[in-house]
Amino acid sequence: MTVEAEKFKTLISKGVYDVTVESERGSFSSALRWFFLLVVVAILFLLELCLGSVMVPVGDIVKSLLDPARADERWREIITVFRLPRTITAAFAGAGLGIAGLKMQTLFRNPLAGPYVLGISSGASLGVAILVLSAWNLGLPAVFSKTALLGNISIVVASIIGAGIAFSVVIAFSRKVQHSVTLLIIGLMIGYISNAFVEVLLQFAAEHQMQRFITWTFGSFGGVTWVQLKVFVPTVTMGLFLAVVMMKPLNALLLGEGYARSMGVNVQRTRILLISGSSLLAGGVTAFCGPVAFIGIAVPHLCRLIFRTSDHRILVPAVILMGAILAMTADLISQVPGSKIVLPLNAVTSIIGAPVVIWVILKRRQGLEV
Amino acid sequence: MSKLLRTLNLTIGYKKRNRSRFVVAEGINVNLKSGEFVCLLGPNGAGKSTLLRTLAGLQKPISGDVMINGTSIYNFSPRDIAKHLSIVLTDRPSIGFIPVFSVVALGRYPYTNWTGSLSSQDEEIVWRAIRAVGIEDLANRLLSELSDGERQKVMIARALAQEPKIMILDEATAFLDLPRRVELMLLLRKLANESNIAVLLSTHDLDLALRSADRLWILPKGGSIIAGIPEDLVLNGAFSAAFDGSNVVFDKRLGTFVFESPERGRVVLESSSSLDDVVTAWTCRALTRAGYVIVSDEVTPLKIKISNENGSGTVWRMIWDGKVEKRACSLEDLISKLGSMANVA
């Protein structure tokens, strides 16, 4: 036996070289984690349909979905008109915001990045505000009824463009700042500036319109119609798909742009795809749900902790599931099941998400990096 | 040995926004051969990093060309360059949860499919790279838990897993303590010689480079690059021309840099024959450092005699004009007493 082989054997006996065993054990417990996430998604999906101001019996939910003709009309209406679109919206919005946050954290190599905290969502709001008000003043209000496909598409486009512009501004600043907290502060300021413009614009709006816009900024997964879903679901799906195909370059970017380029990553193209992917997600979600706070920044960190990995091949699917879980949970809480009270969604997501940000800042040096 | 990488009249620098050019260095004609370990030396600001970035295809030159095996790298796709050339940088990536094995496996990037999954052959190559660098026992650890030296070895293993023909390292030994730097230099030379790849390292460790590199590239500020084996460059003065400063000079005999302290006095040094040379040598260093010039003439009044006395060990006697003035029992004592004597004189 060669010296090399001898050394190898001692390493194995010491357990140092326990790679195969380790990975088998790893894959077993990771299978458990996936199973757990999927079960939680299913349970929350059912709870979202079941709970609200009134409780719908599970049997009637199943009947309304599978055999609508024989279901009780009252339950069927609640499920198909209100709760099912709301649940689908929450799941896709959570997944979309989480993925947008993940992409941004890796792109900036900054654990404090996210669509809301860096002002991307505010940019999207500004885009929507400009479009809605100018169309109103041009006498085209009918275009923006909730059931007009064209109107909904134009709102999504305006929102994505607003998100993209805000993102480009943040990118330009990120080249000049080294510290991740500095970028966070610049992002917050960009958010304030966009919101200020929105407020200025609102002064020119009609009273009821202003009221509707302000309610929209509280964030909500409710009130999204099936027609809107036809625009919303494909938009988000496209953004999620862009994340799935980018898992490999995202992993390379963990080492930084220099290394990524030296490994053959077309960094310029990757950056553009990541920026457009996250603008698509942040803009698409904001157009229908308003600027939803903190889900984007918190979800990737929760997934890194659960799976103890920075590998995007695991993080991307995990963030999609975890985003849906967090968004549906926040939505359930905001409806205060069994009561007539409805809390603003952003109040709930902020209470869940803001502590995560504080925790990331405090624990930064202990493995909570990107 | 074939010329693996060659530059043709390369001018490096930056194109500014107003289309003016900022030239860092020009007329660069150098080559790298397989199996050699080359150190790129040069004072701060001479453009070492710019040159390395240009050679690695990360930055375009102002004019001239970089050829790998006779083909210009600007005709290569990013992926093709990656299959020929890998890099190690100074910056320390901070990633939360990534095990060492996965970092090294990222080196297989240009060879894997869109998901980046490793074939059994890829896995074998990753393990080979890990073994070559000697970090088997770190494979399961997280990158964020490692020391700077260990982390740099991981990055070298990653660069090896890329199966390059050329490995370029930009100040990869910075931030490491001296033993770790020596270890890394020896490792790089071993990798170059044994795996038959060309290794190019930019470094500020002139001493180490002189001792370990197969060849040196010296990039003086504002001048053109000079290449050769270390000993030739020392003898023909290229080495000292690039690095000598106003009070730092390269001593060819010692093979190291010496610096001049303001002169405080002259001394004649005498040691008894029974004494170890080492004591004399370190006495010389201490005196030189304190600013005393050691002479051997008859006119200098100050003389220091070193002897070994029974019971009290080494003793330094300061003699002024033939009379015994003071004794010291350590070099620290000697220097402080010399100071007070010089003041009296």
Side-chain angles (χ1 to χ4, degrees):
Chain A
M1 200 190 284
T2 61
V3 182
E4 179 88 352
E6 195 106 38
K7 206 173 136 199
F8 200 78
K9 236 188 155 180
T10 26
L11 280 171
I12 293 173
S13 65
K14 278 188 206 156
V16 177
Y17 235 46
D18 205 9
V19 187
T20 35
V21 182
E22 179 73 25
S23 66
E24 270 165 25
R25 205 186 299 137
S27 66
F28 175 68
S29 66
S30 95
L32 251 179
R33 285 173 214 162
W34 288 115
F35 179 71
F36 178 73
L37 282 189
L38 283 169
V39 168
V40 174
V41 168
I43 291 174
L44 280 168
F45 199 89
L46 213 65
L47 282 177
E48 276 266 76
L49 296 179
C50 179
L51 302 176
S53 50
V54 287
M55 201 182 131
V56 180
V58 178
D60 288 290
I61 295 174
V62 177
K63 225 188 271 173
S64 318
L65 292 178
L66 301 180
D67 192 6
R70 292 205 333 201
D72 183 324
E73 199 173 323
R74 218 166 24 118
W75 297 138
R76 195 181 64 206
E77 176 131 330
I78 291 179
I79 295 296
T80 56
V81 177
F82 298 104
R83 293 203 182 158
L84 189 57
R86 182 184 191 117
T87 308
I88 293 173
T89 307
F92 273 86
L97 291 173
I99 289 292
L102 177 65
K103 283 177 180 172
M104 292 171 73
Q105 288 173 3
T106 303
L107 179 67
F108 288 119
R109 286 213 284 156
N110 185 340
L112 294 171
Y116 187 78
V117 289
L118 290 190
I120 315 300
S121 304
S122 305
S125 317
L126 183 57
V128 173
I130 291 173
L131 177 82
V132 170
L133 287 170
S134 51
W136 192 270
N137 291 328
L138 290 171
L140 299 164
V143 176
F144 303 112
S145 92
K146 284 193 155 197
T147 49
L149 190 64
L150 195 67
N152 284 313
I153 289 176
S154 55
I155 286 191
V156 170
V157 171
S159 181
I160 291 169
I161 291 173
I165 291 173
F167 207 150
S168 315
V169 175
V170 178
I171 287 267
F173 277 113
S174 75
R175 297 252 158 192
K176 300 198 192 296
V177 300
Q178 291 299 315
H179 205 282
S180 45
V181 178
T182 317
L183 188 70
L184 176 73
I185 294 168
I186 290 177
L188 288 176
M189 293 307 128
I190 290 169
Y192 277 124
I193 294 169
S194 311
N195 287 339
F197 276 117
V198 170
E199 277 167 34
V200 170
L201 283 177
L202 283 181
Q203 299 310 311
F204 300 98
E207 184 109 17
H208 71 279
Q209 212 184 351
M210 194 162 144
Q211 192 54 48
R212 226 178 90 187
F213 201 89
I214 289 170
T215 316
W216 176 77
T217 60
F218 292 159
S220 169
F221 299 131
V224 178
T225 63
W226 282 105
V227 174
Q228 288 176 313
L229 278 182
K230 275 185 197 156
V231 182
F232 178 65
V233 171
T235 309
V236 173
T237 308
M238 200 146 68
L240 299 181
F241 175 75
L242 266 178
V244 172
V245 294
M246 304 281 283
M247 292 185 304
K248 188 182 167 188
L250 278 168
N251 276 346
L253 277 176
L254 285 174
L255 293 179
E257 279 187 21
Y259 278 118
R261 193 168 295 157
S262 83
M263 288 188 265
V265 177
N266 185 336
V267 172
Q268 197 61 31
R269 200 182 65 194
T270 305
R271 280 172 73 92
I272 291 172
L273 281 173
L274 287 176
I275 294 168
S276 25
S278 4
S279 302
L280 199 68
L281 289 169
V285 172
T286 308
F288 295 111
C289 311
V292 180
F294 293 110
I295 288 189
I297 191 173
V299 170
H301 289 296
L302 294 175
C303 292
R304 284 185 198 106
L305 279 178
I306 294 173
F307 286 90
R308 294 192 65 78
T309 184
S310 296
D311 186 341
H312 290 82
R313 285 172 295 173
I314 293 168
L315 284 181
V316 167
V319 163
I320 291 175
L321 294 179
M322 194 66 206
I325 289 174
L326 202 65
M328 289 193 289
T329 309
D331 190 44
L332 272 178
I333 296 172
S334 78
Q335 293 179 66
V336 198
S339 77
K340 292 265 179 271
I341 309 167
V342 177
L343 303 173
L345 179 66
N346 272 338
V348 180
T349 57
S350 299
I351 289 169
I352 302 175
V356 173
V357 177
I358 296 173
W359 174 55
V360 169
I361 292 175
L362 292 179
K363 293 253 175 176
R364 270 210 61 153
R365 287 283 142 233
Q366 291 150 41
L368 262 174
E369 283 100 349
V370 182
Chain B
M1 282 197 286
S2 63
K3 286 174 186 172
L4 193 55
L5 179 138
R6 197 153 61 98
T7 66
L8 291 179
N9 244 331
L10 195 66
T11 301
I12 55 170
Y14 298 90
K15 285 173 187 154
K16 286 186 183 167
R17 230 172 252 165
N18 55 11
R19 295 206 172 176
S20 67
R21 287 162 170 188
F22 177 65
V23 173
V24 175
E26 52 192 338
I28 299 169
N29 287 297
V30 282
N31 59 68
L32 276 177
K33 302 185 197 88
S34 318
E36 71 175 355
F37 173 43
V38 177
C39 282
L40 169 61
L41 305 174
N44 281 327
K48 296 191 292 294
S49 292
T50 314
L51 177 60
L52 293 188
R53 291 176 56 81
T54 311
L55 293 182
L58 298 181
Q59 180 178 338
K60 289 235 151 137
I62 289 180
S63 66
D65 209 345
V66 180
M67 321 272 272
I68 293 180
N69 283 333
T71 315
S72 164
I73 59 166
Y74 306 105
N75 295 335
F76 281 53
S77 70
R79 198 177 193 152
D80 280 337
I81 296 182
K83 286 181 180 175
H84 283 88
L85 196 148
S86 64
I87 61 171
V88 177
L89 302 169
T90 326
D91 59 332
R92 293 165 278 184
S94 60
I95 308 167
F97 299 107
I98 189 164
V100 166
F101 182 87
S102 305
V103 177
V104 179
L106 275 176
R108 298 307 295 161
Y109 193 96
Y111 303 93
T112 51
N113 67 1
W114 72 276
T115 59
S117 56
L118 301 177
S119 68
S120 59
Q121 195 200 348
D122 287 323
E123 222 160 289
E124 181 42 46
I125 293 165
V126 172
W127 276 114
R128 210 185 300 152
I130 287 176
R131 280 194 293 270
V133 176
I135 49 167
E136 294 96 320
D137 47 343
L138 301 180
N140 283 329
R141 300 262 304 277
L142 293 179
L143 188 68
S144 51
E145 300 171 347
L146 304 186
S147 71
D148 286 342
E150 291 169 331
R151 201 180 287 222
Q152 221 39 317
K153 280 189 186 169
V154 174
M155 297 320 284
I156 291 172
R158 189 213 62 82
L160 264 185
Q162 216 170 313
E163 291 193 303
K165 297 180 176 64
I166 303 157
M167 192 192 289
I168 291 181
L169 304 95
D170 190 6
E171 296 193 16
T173 56
F175 303 125
L176 304 183
D177 57 26
L178 188 61
R180 239 49 60 199
R181 288 202 301 250
V182 176
E183 205 179 293
L184 214 60
M185 293 285 247
L186 296 179
L187 170 69
L188 290 173
R189 187 170 66 176
K190 192 186 100 187
L191 291 178
N193 299 346
E194 287 176 6
S195 320
N196 206 31
I197 58 176
V199 176
L200 173 63
L201 167 78
S202 76
T203 177
H204 284 290
D205 267 312
L206 306 178
D207 261 359
L208 268 176
L210 275 177
R211 282 167 218 264
S212 56
D214 294 322
R215 273 198 310 147
L216 296 181
W217 292 1
I218 296 179
L219 186 61
K221 213 164 184 166
S224 188
I225 207 162
I226 305 152
I229 73 160
E231 295 76 10
D232 276 339
L233 295 180
V234 168
L235 287 177
N236 68 21
F239 199 78
S240 40
F243 294 103
D244 281 0
S246 52
N247 43 22
V248 186
V249 273
F250 185 73
D251 186 320
K252 282 188 190 175
R253 203 166 295 281
L254 295 174
T256 182
F257 283 86
V258 292
F259 40 87
E260 294 158 355
S261 313
E263 190 179 322
R264 292 174 68 185
R266 292 166 160 256
V267 269
V268 177
L269 198 60
E270 238 176 56
S271 52
S272 63
S273 53
S274 66
L275 213 72
D276 192 351
D277 305 348
V278 178
V279 179
T280 319
W282 284 94
T283 307
C284 278
R285 271 183 80 144
L287 289 171
T288 316
R289 187 167 57 82
Y292 296 94
V293 179
I294 291 147
V295 291
S296 50
D297 56 24
E298 298 299 314
V299 292
T300 306
L302 183 61
K303 196 179 275 185
I304 293 172
K305 260 188 168 167
I306 318 172
S307 56
N308 214 339
E309 279 182 14
N310 288 338
S312 49
T314 312
V315 170
W316 289 266
R317 290 160 195 276
M318 289 153 267
I319 303 163
W320 183 269
D321 263 347
K323 297 177 289 179
V324 174
E325 292 270 343
K326 278 175 182 167
R327 324 166 13 130
C329 51
S330 73
L331 284 170
E332 183 176 1
D333 196 18
L334 173 72
I335 302 255
S336 82
K337 282 178 177 158
L338 272 179
S340 59
M341 265 173 94
N343 290 343
V344 174

